[in-house]
Amino acid sequence: MTNRNEQWKHEKDGLEILKELPALAEKAFKEIDPGDIERLKWAGIYAQRPRDGHFLVRVKLPSGQLTAAQAKVLADLAAAYGKGEIQITIRQAVQIHNITLRDAVDILPRLKAADLSSVEACGDVPRTILGNPLAGVDAEELLDTRPLVEEVFRFFLGNRDFSNLPRKFKISISANPHDAGFARINDLAFVPARREGEAGFVAYVGGGLSAEPHLAVRLPFFIRPAEVKAVAEAVATLFRDEGYREKRNHCRLKYLVADLGAERIAEKIEAQTGALLRGGEEVTAPWNYGRFYGTHAQKQPGLCYVGVHVKNGHIRAEDLRAFAELAERFGQGRLRTTNSQNLILLDIPEGETEALLQDAIFEAYPTEPGFFTGYASSCTGNAYCNFAPIETKNRLHELTAALDEAFPEVGQPLRINLTGCFHACAQPQVADIGLTGGRARVGEAVVPVYTVMIGGHLSEGAAFAQPLEGRVADDKLFGLLEALVQKYLALREAGEPFYATVARTGLELWQSVANQYTIA
Ligand code: SF4
């Protein structure tokens, strides 16, 4: 066998763990076989930091769909087992931390009873499907993607044909023109397109971030809605059968796509699906960074959605319950999560939005957050993650709140993403300013230090952020961010986002700003 993970998967299918969970829950953490700890991911259960027998459970919410009744179940579970905390993730899933395996034995059936699932939320499997959080209510969507998301989700869920992939497999399906599904950084993404007036999709394959980021490449097809599942199945099959399984850090689909190229991948897909149409013109509009803040009209006349900022994606159980109750009282009991780790309330009658927004909960969860705080992203950091050398969430909020205070004139989003390590869970490569944490000796002390990259985006001409040389110690970080923002404000042209100013002016100039703050 090629690596330890492959050996574990070969010994026993990850999905077997679902049956074995009650027996495992009776064991002391140290007695549990490392292969079983790994296989628990197939149940959506992940060992958290410190590795002392506490876990997180991740619940899939395809395309961010969540009913008020389900939100209440999640709130109840978090209150009972997870210290009253819920985390919204960058794939629109939710996590409850601090659970034990005995708790998981109670939690999983309660999720199932609420038509929720944690199955294959982690592991080398098709993960939760990212999508347009406005699907079905979006005045701009080319078509309602909910039935497609549901079809693909149900097809892969617990499907033993795809429960041993070389690595995780991330699908995005969105017909929102503002790239709500972050297409270019998924393994397989469907984006809205037209061909001779017909509505459908074009697909991208082979995107992903981590230490070696790749932008997904476009396939030559125009894909009809009825063909989406077949294309997803074909790509997953290709990944399963031909994907690399040797070095763990070289197994994602992006490496196979990079080696074979889009045309060869397309041939292999068509060998399974039969001939697909060619062409199609993408339906695009400026990237909205996955943010849906404020009150906006739905496609249903007289109804609005209200996008809410959830600081750090972190919501208290009682607050999720309160939002669920608001969604029932003012709307039709529907909420959505976003990949920017925020919430949306749907179906609020136009005449009742003001009354809704009078609720005290919006003081802590604003609908019009600052252009720094509302557009920042951080990974879990050392609160729960075993890889993390630093704390991320509170530090980033502290920094961005101070920037909101210092630069009220910024007038448009400036996205700062802080990630705890090279795994890049907070997606620094697509941020205006991306920070990756570490620790280093500075003088007498070992302190948090950061590498900095700038100018990333997924708008037209998508590009990854470019690294600046040197690292910045924590006590100089705010000074550096302040200096970068000042430079941007001095140089930007009307309406120009930070990433575009960087692209227009060149990296050298920004390096000279950073040099005053960095260490080797
Ligand atoms: Fe953990 Fe690193 Fe991911 Fe942050 S980026 S959550 S530290 S693995």
Side-chain angles (χ1 to χ4, degrees):
M1 272 301 135
T2 47
N3 68 50
R4 204 171 47 154
N5 294 66
E6 285 303 315
Q7 194 172 344
W8 286 328
K9 289 186 285 183
H10 182 72
E11 279 165 14
K12 203 190 310 176
D13 190 281
L15 289 168
E16 288 294 311
I17 210 72
L18 288 161
K19 280 188 252 155
E20 296 171 5
L21 181 60
L24 282 184
E26 296 308 314
K27 290 188 175 180
F29 181 66
K30 286 190 182 132
E31 288 170 17
I32 301 176
D33 179 83
D36 285 335
I37 299 279
E38 177 67 17
R39 283 184 283 269
L40 280 167
K41 293 178 184 172
W42 273 246
I45 299 168
Y46 204 110
Q48 68 178 49
R49 175 197 184 113
R51 288 174 75 90
D52 64 352
H54 284 86
F55 297 81
L56 66 85
V57 60
R58 184 179 295 159
V59 183
K60 292 170 147 181
L61 303 177
S63 208
Q65 295 180 78
L66 179 66
T67 66
Q70 290 171 329
K72 287 179 183 176
V73 169
L74 292 170
D76 288 347
L77 292 173
Y81 303 107
K83 294 189 180 169
E85 295 171 2
I86 293 164
Q87 186 69 42
I88 303 171
T89 78
I90 57 164
R91 290 192 70 75
Q92 300 174 288
V94 292
Q95 291 176 180
I96 299 172
H97 292 92
N98 295 306
I99 66 159
T100 65
L101 291 185
R102 281 198 181 150
D103 298 338
V105 172
D106 295 340
I107 290 171
L108 266 54
R110 288 177 66 181
L111 290 174
K112 194 169 180 194
D115 198 21
L116 291 167
S117 180
S118 65
V119 173
E120 296 180 323
C122 317
D124 296 348
V125 288
R127 299 289 189 85
T128 191
I129 298 172
L130 201 62
N132 178 11
L134 297 180
V137 306
D138 187 349
E140 293 182 85
E141 69 186 353
L142 192 60
L143 43 91
D144 180 355
T145 40
R146 285 174 303 166
L148 299 175
V149 169
E150 182 70 11
E151 183 188 14
V152 177
F153 168 66
R154 297 283 167 203
F155 173 73
F156 283 119
L157 185 67
N159 184 335
R160 296 236 175 189
D161 288 342
F162 300 98
S163 58
N164 177 1
L165 299 180
R167 208 65 163 82
K168 58 189 156 190
F169 181 57
K170 296 180 173 178
I171 302 174
S172 163
I173 302 173
S174 169
N176 171 287
H178 300 278
D179 194 20
F182 290 18
R184 304 286 303 273
I185 57 173
N186 277 269
D187 292 294
L188 170 64
F190 296 88
V191 303
R194 281 189 198 281
R195 184 180 177 277
E196 296 172 5
E198 186 180 355
F201 298 91
V202 297
Y204 283 82
V205 283
L209 295 179
S210 200
E212 284 185 45
H214 289 215
L215 283 172
V217 294
R218 186 176 158 169
L219 292 171
F221 310 130
F222 175 78
I223 298 162
R224 291 183 159 136
E227 296 165 336
V228 165
K229 195 213 95 186
V231 171
E233 182 180 356
V235 176
T237 303
L238 173 63
F239 183 39
R240 180 193 66 200
D241 296 345
E242 298 190 35
Y244 304 137
R245 291 180 184 259
E246 286 88 39
K247 292 187 198 130
R248 193 74 185 145
N249 61 3
H250 196 76
C251 292
R252 288 286 299 274
L253 179 64
K254 62 188 176 184
Y255 295 107
L256 184 68
V257 171
D259 288 349
L260 294 183
E263 274 302 329
R264 189 87 187 93
I265 294 281
E267 280 169 27
K268 286 173 179 281
I269 292 169
E270 276 186 315
Q272 298 178 64
T273 59
L276 295 164
L277 291 169
R278 303 265 153 170
E281 198 170 314
E282 283 180 49
V283 178
T284 60
W287 188 35
N288 70 356
Y289 319 121
R291 266 73 180 186
F292 298 86
Y293 295 135
T295 303
H296 305 274
Q298 293 183 187
K299 71 159 72 156
Q300 293 81 7
L303 294 182
C304 296
Y305 70 87
V306 176
V308 179
H309 176 53
V310 178
K311 183 178 136 190
N312 298 333
H314 184 93
I315 187 165
R316 297 284 313 161
E318 62 268 24
D319 294 339
L320 183 60
R321 170 170 280 280
F323 278 120
E325 284 166 0
L326 288 173
E328 282 172 337
R329 182 147 63 96
F330 287 91
Q332 297 164 16
R334 298 198 296 169
L335 305 96
R336 299 280 167 84
T337 52
T338 73
N339 60 355
S340 55
Q341 301 177 271
N342 293 302
L343 265 186
I344 303 173
L345 305 184
L346 300 187
D347 313 316
I348 312 299
E350 238 166 42
E352 294 186 39
T353 55
E354 266 184 45
L356 168 79
L357 295 173
Q358 293 299 315
D359 196 284
I361 201 163
F362 292 102
E363 285 165 27
Y365 298 88
T367 59
E368 301 287 355
F371 287 119
F372 293 95
T373 46
Y375 293 81
S377 286
S378 58
C379 74
T380 303
N382 70 4
Y384 298 119
C385 175
N386 289 304
F387 295 102
I390 60 162
E391 195 282 327
T392 51
K393 286 189 177 294
N394 294 330
R395 185 65 180 125
L396 184 61
H397 186 73
E398 193 177 59
L399 291 162
T400 51
L403 290 169
D404 273 333
E405 192 76 28
F407 298 104
E409 72 275 35
V410 69
Q412 65 185 65
L414 201 160
R415 299 164 301 116
I416 303 175
N417 291 5
L418 169 57
T419 208
C421 77
F422 69 90
H423 286 108
C425 299
Q427 305 174 338
Q429 299 96 332
V430 296
D432 288 310
I433 302 175
L435 304 168
T436 302
R439 293 187 86 80
R441 178 167 293 281
V442 178
E444 294 300 299
V446 174
V447 297
V449 295
Y450 307 86
T451 55
V452 183
M453 55 181 92
I454 59 169
H457 70 99
L458 292 175
S459 298
E460 201 180 344
F464 288 135
Q466 298 297 307
L468 295 176
E469 285 171 19
R471 293 172 300 169
V472 59
D474 192 68
D475 64 346
K476 295 277 194 295
L477 182 57
F478 184 71
L480 169 66
L481 294 174
E482 223 179 8
L484 292 173
V485 176
Q486 273 160 357
K487 183 59 81 180
Y488 162 62
L489 294 177
L491 295 176
R492 72 175 170 182
E493 293 179 351
E496 192 175 55
F498 183 92
Y499 65 80
T501 307
V502 171
R504 181 172 56 76
T505 54
L507 209 58
E508 214 173 295
L509 179 96
W510 302 85
Q511 182 69 58
S512 67
V513 175
N515 287 345
Q516 295 159 50
Y517 299 88
T518 51
I519 52 177

